[in-house]
Amino acid sequence: MSDQSLSFQHLRDEEFCLLSTEDELDILDLFESVLSSSPDADVEQTSQRFVDGLIKLAPGRSLEDQSLPRSTWTALNRIAGCIDHRHYGQDVLVSTVRKLNGVEGWKGLPEIWIAMRDTWNLSPTNNPEAKDEREFTAKEWLNLNSFAARLYNGPHVGSFALFAICELKEGLEGEPKDDDRPEPETRLQVSCEWVVQSGRRLMRESLLDTYADPKEKLETRHYNPYSIGPLFTGLRGFTLERWGFWKRRLLELRDEKIYGEITYKLMDEAIEVMTTIEEDILKKSYPDVV
């Protein structure tokens, strides 16, 4: 767990308007205050103080009739981008969302998927002409995806499956090539982080063949939601075949000597997570054999 210091100052930069409403800026101030005043890395206590503060931001207001819940998700996405993918602050954010799911106004997590989808349009680009000053850096993109994957691993944001498939496809099912966004190594890092943070959810959906359609023709599997990348020829959605492809692809890429240290570390973590999940299933299925 990383304990490095955090900086959110650039989120307040009026030139880029990364957080553009008073509610969003108030949420950032509250998070910084709660995190800095916590004596230790107590995730549950810190997230509860954050939730209590969020509720106090709307005294006497009808949350169904105003924008605070949507502002919460927008602010949390930006905050997550500033928190290292191994910092306990990521867990504080996830615990906060889980608690808010039971709070009037945030119950059911209204518009959380829409806010994340809008954020997805700001992935880092390599094309200077297409660059948006509001877009995430490569490091922020990894951090944001860590947050999204942790949320997906829980029971309340099933719609995040689309983000999971998108990033795993981009990182593991295509030939590495430079195009507009983001660069190949960043895509690989992000796909690894989805496995590390939501591997068990990914396996569960693979066992259920979620979104897979065996009657669909191969030529249409590249264009529909939960589509496949050019290197994979199986069904779209989640399948054990696709899970196996992802793992084999990670093992292949792990042998290439072209990446940075953090990428190899993430690949090792992802491979270990997948192997552990597979072994756990084997032990439960064949307890007398293993």
Side-chain angles (χ1 to χ4, degrees):
M1 179 177 64
S2 172
D3 60 355
Q4 70 181 63
S5 60
L6 303 175
S7 175
F8 304 98
Q9 190 56 44
H10 73 288
L11 297 183
R12 297 184 174 89
D13 194 323
E14 295 182 359
E15 179 181 356
F16 304 129
C17 296
L18 300 182
L19 294 180
S20 57
T21 70
E22 289 187 13
D23 281 341
E24 291 168 8
L25 292 169
D26 287 344
I27 291 167
L28 173 59
D29 289 341
L30 175 62
F31 181 77
E32 278 195 290
S33 174
V34 168
L35 205 65
S36 63
S37 61
S38 299
D40 50 40
D42 188 323
V43 170
E44 293 304 312
Q45 182 181 22
T46 304
S47 63
Q48 187 59 58
R49 291 177 60 204
F50 188 30
V51 169
D52 292 343
L54 288 170
I55 295 172
K56 292 178 181 178
L57 288 179
R61 294 158 64 183
S62 172
L63 291 176
E64 287 81 2
D65 298 331
Q66 51 80 41
S67 60
L68 184 57
R70 175 60 183 271
S71 294
T72 302
W73 314 137
T74 300
L76 262 55
N77 289 345
R78 276 296 179 182
I79 290 170
C82 298
I83 300 176
D84 184 83
H85 61 291
R86 291 295 176 268
H87 193 283
Y88 85 96
Q90 290 277 353
D91 293 320
V92 171
L93 293 181
V94 173
S95 179
T96 296
V97 173
R98 175 173 56 81
K99 288 180 169 67
L100 285 173
N101 193 46
V103 175
E104 191 64 34
W106 288 273
K107 189 176 295 183
L109 309 180
E111 298 194 33
I112 191 171
W113 185 87
I114 296 174
M116 188 63 76
R117 182 201 61 190
D118 291 346
T119 301
W120 235 247
N121 294 328
L122 296 171
S123 60
T125 178
N126 289 320
N127 183 351
E129 296 182 359
K131 193 170 184 61
D132 185 330
E133 294 298 339
R134 298 173 301 151
E135 74 184 31
F136 289 79
T137 66
K139 176 59 177 171
E140 290 170 344
W141 187 242
L142 174 60
N143 296 340
L144 173 69
N145 274 268
S146 184
F147 174 53
R150 291 164 195 255
L151 288 174
Y152 180 62
N153 199 48
H156 304 303
V157 287
S159 57
F160 276 27
L162 186 61
F163 303 126
I165 287 289
C166 175
E167 297 310 318
L168 286 158
K169 177 184 71 174
E170 289 296 314
L172 299 175
E173 295 180 0
E175 293 288 357
K177 61 180 181 179
D178 289 316
D179 50 21
D180 281 358
R181 66 174 74 211
E183 65 178 3
E185 186 162 1
T186 299
R187 296 177 203 167
L188 177 56
Q189 291 176 356
V190 166
S191 64
C192 289
E193 188 66 5
W194 274 93
V195 172
V196 171
Q197 300 300 341
S198 63
R200 293 194 179 276
R201 177 71 181 272
L202 296 173
M203 171 55 86
R204 176 181 178 276
E205 304 301 341
S206 298
L207 289 168
L208 295 173
D209 288 339
T210 303
Y211 305 119
D213 182 1
K215 297 181 181 180
E216 185 177 30
K217 294 181 180 180
L218 176 60
E219 56 266 26
T220 66
R221 298 176 195 168
H222 296 280
Y223 307 106
N224 290 328
Y226 314 104
S227 60
I228 61 176
L231 296 182
F232 181 64
T233 57
L235 301 179
R236 67 186 176 99
F238 295 96
T239 64
L240 287 178
E241 180 186 9
R242 199 170 190 182
W243 168 280
F245 177 87
W246 292 336
K247 186 177 181 183
R248 290 193 302 274
R249 185 66 174 147
L250 282 170
L251 290 168
E252 292 171 358
L253 294 171
R254 182 64 183 81
D255 288 336
E256 298 184 5
K257 309 301 181 184
I258 59 175
Y259 302 114
E261 180 180 354
I262 186 176
T263 305
Y264 289 112
K265 183 177 181 180
L266 283 166
M267 282 194 281
D268 288 341
E269 290 178 356
I271 293 167
E272 182 179 359
V273 165
M274 298 183 89
T275 300
T276 299
I277 292 171
E278 292 164 356
E279 291 175 346
D280 287 347
I281 292 175
L282 189 61
K283 289 176 183 177
K284 291 179 180 179
S285 302
Y286 304 98
D288 298 329
V289 177
V290 179

